[in-house]
Amino acid sequence: DIAVLEVEELPERFHASLNAKTKTYIYRIAIGDTPSVFERKYTYYCFDRPNIEKMKIASKKLIGKHDFKDFSSVKKSKSTLKEIYQVDIYQDEKEIQITIKANDFLHNMARMMVSTLLEIGLDKRPMDVIEEILDPDSLETGSAPAYPQGLFLQDIEY
C-alpha cells in the first residue's frame, strides 16, 4: 500500500524517474528456522546462514562510481556508469536487510548485487569477485538476479 504524505506542485516537465537524485532499495532475506507463511510474499527465504562479515567487506567494493553493466540485464542504455553512495547490511535473528542507495539503478542491478553478495556470504563466490565484475576488461558477471519478492523501493530523493 502507498500513503500520500506530502503533495507539491512541480514544473510541467518534471519526470519522476529522470529527475531523481538518489534512489534507495532495501532487500529483505528471511533466515529464521522456518519460512514465515505471512512474510513469504515480502522476503526471500535463505535456507543457509550467510557470513554477514564477508558480505559487508565485499559490499564496500561497490561504493563509488563504476560501470555496472555486468551487474545488469539491460540490453541498451545511455550509460551504465552509476554511483553507489551507501550499502548497509543489517541482521537480526530472523532477517537480513541489504539497503543500497545510488544515483540510479540499471535493470536488475540491485537484485544482481544482492545475489552476488549473498553468494559471497555463502562461500559460493570468492570475496574479490566484485572487483572482477566491475573491471571492464573482465568477463566475470554478477550472479543471476535475486528473487523479486524481497526487493522494495524505500526512498527517492529529488
Side-chain angles (χ1 to χ4, degrees):
D1 292 341
I2 296 175
V4 177
L5 303 176
E6 185 179 327
V7 177
E8 185 178 333
E9 193 167 331
L10 294 168
E12 196 172 304
R13 296 191 47 86
F14 175 79
H15 191 283
S17 290
L18 300 177
N19 291 109
K21 289 185 178 132
T22 68
K23 295 178 184 176
T24 303
Y25 282 96
I26 186 166
Y27 194 88
R28 297 177 58 210
I29 304 164
I31 55 170
D33 293 334
T34 55
S36 168
V37 295
F38 302 108
E39 292 288 319
R40 67 183 168 83
K41 292 182 181 180
Y42 311 107
T43 59
Y44 163 69
Y45 183 75
C46 186
F47 289 90
D48 297 316
R49 289 197 181 244
N51 182 324
I52 296 300
E53 292 311 311
K54 280 187 176 182
M55 292 171 67
K56 285 181 179 181
I57 292 167
S59 73
K60 288 181 183 6
K61 297 172 186 175
L62 293 167
I63 295 173
K65 193 176 276 191
H66 305 285
D67 185 344
F68 283 94
K69 73 175 172 37
D70 291 323
F71 272 110
S72 173
S73 59
V74 71
K75 301 294 182 230
K76 291 181 183 178
S77 179
K78 246 183 181 177
S79 174
T80 53
L81 191 67
K82 305 296 176 194
E83 186 171 2
I84 303 291
Y85 300 119
Q86 186 177 350
V87 180
D88 290 323
I89 302 175
Y90 164 82
Q91 178 185 2
D92 62 24
E93 287 299 312
K94 295 185 179 184
E95 189 171 302
I96 298 169
Q97 294 180 356
I98 301 173
T99 306
I100 305 167
K101 181 177 183 176
N103 66 342
D104 197 14
F105 288 86
L106 298 167
H107 188 256
N108 283 330
M109 182 174 144
R111 290 173 46 207
M112 290 178 79
M113 290 167 57
V114 165
S115 63
T116 303
L117 290 172
L118 198 52
E119 286 190 352
I120 290 168
L122 294 169
D123 291 325
K124 293 181 179 178
R125 294 190 86 170
M127 292 272 295
D128 61 352
V129 75
I130 301 281
E131 292 160 323
E132 289 179 40
I133 296 167
L134 293 174
D135 181 353
D137 298 325
S138 172
L139 297 176
E140 195 71 51
T141 61
S143 301
Y147 289 98
Q149 68 265 32
L151 185 68
F152 296 90
L153 178 61
Q154 186 177 42
D155 188 42
I156 301 175
E157 293 177 15
Y158 293 102

